[in-house]
Amino acid sequence: MRNYLTILMTVLYLGACSSNPVTTDFDNTVDFSGYKTYAFISDSPLMRAPDTPPGSPLLQGRLMNATDAVLTAKGFNKVDDPETADFTVAFTVGARDKVQVNSYPEPYRPYYGAWGWGAPYYAGVGSQSVDVRQYTEGTLAIDVFDVAEHKPAWHGVARARITDKMRENPTEAVNTAVNEVLLQFPPGGTAP
């Protein structure tokens, strides 16, 4: 059964997989240069996407710790009361089963020329080798909300295939995932 740890661990793969980049969106009317303090949107800032089964209760703490580390390193200060912060942070995780199908032509018979070398003939349309693999794609979204304006300000999301390596080391996977997503926050590099 999928769980939140597994879902988040997928994003560890993002740094090495150019086909699954982190994407971001932001409100260009927000002055991110004024952001100095942050808080989590609530005591439980983690939501799950529909049809995502419940997962490890440790995931939320790992996400919060990783976010604290990244935002503190960028120069932001954490406050306890979300109403006094410049911005708040929330997380959404999700997962979906996917199927990857690859087909390859089957060699029919080799052709050897006069000197004993050559390439195989390939049979027609009906001779294909099919490789079917089922996997789980996980999603991590981190959302930033402007407290003064009471509106969304920034959204970062990453999707990737879950690997066994990610399942074996969930803390490292979560740290890497959060780092990858928050690498582009704030837009334009306007950290304090």
Side-chain angles (χ1 to χ4, degrees), residues 94-111:
R96 92 174 33 176
D97 289 328
K98 293 205 159 201
V99 176
Q100 178 180 359
V101 179
N102 294 314
S103 64
Y104 311 94
E106 286 281 341
Y108 179 66
R109 65 179 177 262
Y111 166 72

Side-chain angles (χ1 to χ4, degrees), residues 40-61:
F40 293 104
I41 199 162
S42 69
D43 290 337
S44 298
L46 177 64
M47 297 183 301
R48 66 182 180 93
D51 300 325
T52 301
S56 171
L58 301 174
L59 177 62
Q60 180 171 274

Side-chain angles (χ1 to χ4, degrees), residues 47-124:
M47 297 183 301
R48 66 182 180 93
D51 300 325
T52 301
S56 171
L58 301 174
L59 177 62
Q60 180 171 274
R62 285 184 175 115
L63 284 168
M64 293 170 78
N65 289 338
T67 300
D68 283 338
V70 171
L71 293 178
T72 300
K74 288 180 176 258
F76 295 106
N77 295 309
K78 182 178 179 186
V79 296
D80 292 329
D81 182 8
E83 291 298 320
T84 63
D86 295 321
F87 66 94
T88 58
V89 179
F91 311 101
T92 305
V93 294
R96 92 174 33 176
D97 289 328
K98 293 205 159 201
V99 176
Q100 178 180 359
V101 179
N102 294 314
S103 64
Y104 311 94
E106 286 281 341
Y108 179 66
R109 65 179 177 262
Y111 166 72
Y112 296 101
W115 295 287
W117 57 272
Y121 284 122
Y122 288 93

Side-chain angles (χ1 to χ4, degrees), residues 7-15 138-140 158 160 166 177 180-181:
I7 294 165
L8 257 292
M9 289 181 267
T10 9
V11 189
L12 174 64
Y13 185 65
L14 290 173
T139 302
L140 166 65
M166 294 171 191
E180 290 292 325
V181 175

